[in-house]
Amino acid sequence: MTKAQFQVFPSPSAVAKAVASHIGEAVRARPQTVLGLATGKTFVPIYEALVALSQETGLSFAEASSFNLDEYVGLAPNHPASFRHYMEEHFFRHIDLPADRALLPEAGGDAEAASLAYEAAIAARGGIDVQLLGIGRNGHIGFNEPGSAFDGRTQVAKLTPSTIAANTSDFPPGEVPPPEAITMGIGTILEAHTIVLVATGAAKAEALARAFLRAADVDCPASALQRHGNVTVFCDDAAYAEIGRQSGK
Ligand code: F6R
């Protein structure tokens, strides 16, 4: 059974406010906080809430740093479906985080060298303080698909057909996601000092239950989080439903 703490809210917007306030507290307590960031549909309202919090309260990211989990191999940074573009649109251009400290894996050239450089850059910052994670329907975290080793480092990963299908709607009509991405490995993720996993919507209910109610297994990458001592799951009622049903809560 899991050591993760669960915070369950009635709606995705309530989840977004709670996660934003959690991040805000971390950055206020330690302005040099190193954030691990995620993209995806789940995080759109979260960045919106964080930007609003920053505008309303003067929360500053001027001394912080960030490392995103992943980036597609071969997409230009200004491609509308690249994670760099997503981060600029939803977060970076609205806040005062310095551009040279808002990093994503460099997926345009030698991916192996870029993966090693990314690990070194994280280590040089003293590691990640707060790692944000979403979860795929198949239990993936970052682009660590089922079968990924729990001690994996930043590397090139192949996307499964289900992840390609789930992410196709982020691409312009007629385009599909590239087959590969650079992603932090599960071992890299587990070294973060604290982890915040966010899940909203009924489509995530099975994956969340599988991750936390069954024995950890590489078939469900998110179940590796059971091995971390400081994980908080922020979810809505719909995503929590299967855990609630199986645990009688
Ligand atoms: C994105 C990432 C992915 C997503 C996951 C959920 O940086 O690493 O693991 O968090 O695919 O995506 P959404 O939120 O679109 O359901």
Side-chain angles (χ1 to χ4, degrees):
M1 190 49 191
T2 169
K3 289 181 290 218
Q5 305 279 323
F6 282 80
Q7 296 205 22
V8 187
F9 298 87
S11 64
S13 63
V15 170
K17 277 201 182 131
V19 174
S21 128
H22 183 85
I23 302 296
E25 273 167 35
V27 174
R28 261 188 220 104
R30 184 168 182 265
Q32 306 77 12
T33 293
V34 180
L35 296 168
L37 300 178
T39 59
K41 297 173 188 70
T42 309
F43 280 91
V44 171
I46 290 170
Y47 292 123
E48 197 180 312
L50 204 44
V51 168
L53 184 74
S54 159
Q55 287 168 351
E56 284 157 17
T57 67
L59 172 71
S60 171
F61 295 88
E63 294 181 51
S65 317
S66 72
F67 291 91
N68 264 78
L69 280 165
D70 39 23
E71 179 60 288
Y72 290 111
V73 168
L75 282 195
N78 63 353
H79 186 285
S82 77
F83 291 159
R84 165 61 74 183
H85 185 266
Y86 172 110
M87 291 307 300
E88 295 294 342
E89 284 302 304
H90 293 289
F91 194 41
F92 296 153
R93 76 183 172 89
H94 306 284
I95 57 164
D96 60 353
L97 178 65
D100 61 344
R101 278 195 262 120
L103 301 184
L104 283 85
E106 295 282 340
D110 177 344
E112 215 163 289
S115 301
L116 287 172
Y118 208 57
E119 290 274 337
I122 294 170
R125 289 264 157 221
I128 289 172
D129 293 307
V130 186
Q131 176 67 57
L132 295 177
L133 293 176
I135 182 170
R137 292 174 194 209
N138 62 2
H140 72 223
I141 49 175
F143 273 126
N144 297 285
E145 299 283 22
S148 303
F150 282 0
D151 60 358
R153 311 305 308 182
T154 300
Q155 62 193 292
V156 177
K158 287 205 185 317
L159 278 54
T160 60
S162 78
T163 299
I164 291 177
N167 291 6
T168 294
S169 62
D170 300 333
F171 281 71
E175 277 189 53
V176 288
E180 291 180 338
I182 296 185
T183 181
M184 283 186 200
I186 297 177
T188 319
I189 291 168
L190 291 179
E191 281 171 11
H193 305 142
T194 64
I195 293 179
V196 167
L197 177 76
V198 187
T200 53
K204 301 297 172 67
E206 288 280 349
L208 209 54
R210 189 152 181 230
F212 292 102
L213 295 186
R214 290 207 216 150
D217 186 289
V218 292
D219 285 344
C220 179
S223 69
L225 301 176
Q226 294 180 29
R227 301 195 175 168
H228 193 283
N230 197 335
V231 177
T232 308
V233 180
F234 287 79
C235 60
D236 65 355
D237 288 328
Y240 190 75
E242 190 57 25
I243 293 190
R245 199 181 65 76
Q246 289 186 31
S247 61
K249 285 183 198 147

